[in-house]
Amino acid sequence: MGYWYKNDNPNLSDGFMPPKLLHDAFYRALQDFPILAGHMKTDNYSRMYVDVNKDDLNMPVYTDTTCDMDYSDIEKIGFNLTKVPIDLYGTYGVPVPSRLSNGKIKPANIRILRFKNNSGVLVYSSILHCATDGYGYVHFMNRWAEVARWMQQQQQQSNDVDNKMQLTEHEYIHDRAIPNSLRSNKTTALSASEVNSILNDSNIISRWIARLSPEKRGWLIKKCEKENDSTICFFHIPSKRIEDLRSSVQKHAPPDVKYTINDILTTYLGIVVAQAKQKAKAGKKSKSHAAAISKLFGRRNDETPAEFDVLININVRSHVNHPDTKNYMGNMLIGKSTGFPYDLIQKETTDEVLAPLAQKIHELASEPHGEYYAQRGFLLDNRPDNLAYNTFFGRKGKKGMLITSNHSRFAHYEVDFGSGAPAIVRHVPLTVGTYAYIMPTNPKLGGYEVELKLTPDEMDNVIQNTNWMNLVDSYERCP
């Protein structure tokens, strides 16, 4: 994630987000998140885990550099992280060692880039899902910023010992036993169809990948995940337009159901992307490494499905009644999908078409997922050869799927290190296939920003989709 800070005070140069302050605050915040200094390992059963050893810490990569670009230069090119003069190699997407990590995968990577004349600062941070999810990520970033503000205040009150404020302590739980505690003793907690959707028939390829070290597994998946052709587009959607659409579709909802903005936006994205893929005939003769390997796993990429799958990442914390899940900083996400029938997608995108599909998304997001989450983890712990299939090749090789992730409710714009809130927060383009990332926008602007990754032909079709573009206020396309 990239946090962009603009220095609007010409009289504030060296005092704008001082390097030592950010550095010291980071390592103080790290004490509350020791998992970020752990080693990725696999046990004798090929199960991957993060090992934190106080005598052998795997400290994050942390760099702070200056460039010759002015902040206004990056504004002109749309805050495109692929254009900044900084090495982000290995710090996003599939976990692989970076050039600065001595051959080890780092759970956390931090790059700070200062623009000419301290006109602005980019704080780029990457934290792997093996350590935490988006919920924990935002908590860490806000903790880092909170510590920086506290340290700054301490410096300003250095002569007033009696009135110095203490750093507020928070409870951050990293106990990996908490997810397992959500699992009941029911032997039939998951249906046969759910088990089949999680597990794949084991074969020599899956078992071989499961035995690889985290580093070698990362390199292999990184190679297979590379797209021959893809483009990113950022769409800004005003709050009023999406709310007006939600209110209109709501008229066709069941009496006891209230659709959320996320229900409507995810549904619309699913329809638009499915239409774009159909028009471009994407994946008709895929020759990618990932598609080939997915066939070895048993997933045929040349089948014509009756439905287009929309996968949403669900934060299980809000679905369980457990005293510790609110403060649990591990990964409590599950990805669950639902199918949009192509015969419905092909129709004009009216409220009547949107409503039944929005109902599918709403029901999926509202289900009590705690037991499913725990049972799924239990199954994968006992079949680690399926983890690579479920996480990468199974989704990648499947024809007709959109993966969505929603950060719109997270406090990204509260990450203030003492020099003001970020002007813009942007997610880094991933190597994974077709996906949409829903982000909040600067509170001064309001609305939502959708980061969409497709092939160029598919993206052309999205931009030519009149219904979608009527919802969009502006967009920026990156090569």
Side-chain angles (χ1 to χ4, degrees), residues 200 203 205-206 209 220 223-228 283 285-302 389 392-399:
N200 182 56
N203 60 34
I205 300 294
S206 63
I209 290 178
L220 174 65
K223 182 177 179 61
C224 294
E225 283 288 303
K226 285 184 178 179
E227 294 283 350
N228 294 326
K285 294 182 179 180
S286 175
K287 297 181 180 179
S288 67
H289 291 93
I293 291 182
S294 69
K295 290 182 180 180
L296 292 175
F297 277 111
R299 176 84 74 182
R300 291 187 59 82
N301 199 45
D302 53 357
Y389 170 82
F392 301 103
F393 301 115
R395 294 181 184 175
K396 172 70 173 166
K398 187 171 183 179
K399 183 179 180 181

Side-chain angles (χ1 to χ4, degrees), residues 221-400:
I221 297 172
K222 187 81 169 179
K223 182 177 179 61
C224 294
E225 283 288 303
K226 285 184 178 179
E227 294 283 350
N228 294 326
D229 212 7
S230 63
T231 185
I232 302 287
C233 205
F234 297 93
F235 298 94
H236 176 253
I237 299 175
S239 297
K240 187 177 185 308
R241 293 186 189 179
I242 190 65
E243 173 56 32
D244 287 347
L245 178 62
R246 189 203 67 77
S247 298
S248 183
V249 177
Q250 181 65 42
K251 298 174 183 177
H252 303 274
D256 58 340
V257 172
K258 183 177 180 180
Y259 296 141
T260 66
I261 293 294
N262 184 48
D263 294 336
I264 301 302
L265 191 49
T266 302
T267 301
Y268 217 127
L269 279 166
I271 293 173
V272 170
V273 170
Q275 291 173 344
K277 282 182 169 292
Q278 277 193 315
K279 190 175 180 180
K281 296 181 180 179
K284 185 177 181 181
K285 294 182 179 180
S286 175
K287 297 181 180 179
S288 67
H289 291 93
I293 291 182
S294 69
K295 290 182 180 180
L296 292 175
F297 277 111
R299 176 84 74 182
R300 291 187 59 82
N301 199 45
D302 53 357
E303 297 173 349
T304 301
E307 296 182 325
F308 181 82
D309 276 357
V310 178
L311 183 145
I312 62 175
N313 284 293
I314 301 168
N315 180 3
V316 180
R317 293 173 183 83
S318 59
H319 295 264
V320 297
N321 183 20
H322 191 288
D324 293 328
T325 53
K326 182 179 179 181
N327 299 318
Y328 179 62
M329 296 295 113
N331 195 329
M332 290 197 73
L333 284 182
I334 57 170
K336 296 202 74 176
S337 63
T338 187
F340 286 8
Y342 274 107
D343 58 355
L344 193 58
I345 291 171
Q346 291 167 349
K347 296 181 179 180
E348 179 68 20
T349 310
T350 62
D351 294 345
E352 290 81 3
V353 169
L354 280 167
L357 299 180
Q359 182 68 21
K360 292 166 74 76
I361 295 294
H362 180 83
E363 291 175 356
L364 190 64
S366 304
E367 291 174 4
H369 294 289
E371 181 70 25
Y372 176 88
Y373 167 80
Q375 293 287 357
R376 178 183 182 276
F378 177 78
L379 284 174
L380 291 177
D381 272 350
N382 287 275
R383 285 288 303 278
D385 53 302
N386 268 270
L387 185 57
Y389 170 82
N390 274 276
T391 307
F392 301 103
F393 301 115
R395 294 181 184 175
K396 172 70 173 166
K398 187 171 183 179
K399 183 179 180 181

Side-chain angles (χ1 to χ4, degrees), residues 153-164:
Q153 189 177 51
Q154 294 293 96
Q155 294 171 1
Q156 295 169 352
Q157 297 178 343
S158 58
N159 296 325
D160 190 1
V161 178
D162 294 333
N163 292 323
K164 279 191 174 182

Side-chain angles (χ1 to χ4, degrees), residues 399-416:
K399 183 179 180 181
M401 172 178 275
L402 170 67
I403 300 173
T404 68
S405 186
N406 193 329
H407 272 229
S408 63
R409 298 176 185 175
F410 291 158
H412 286 292
Y413 283 92
E414 295 178 16
V415 182
D416 177 0

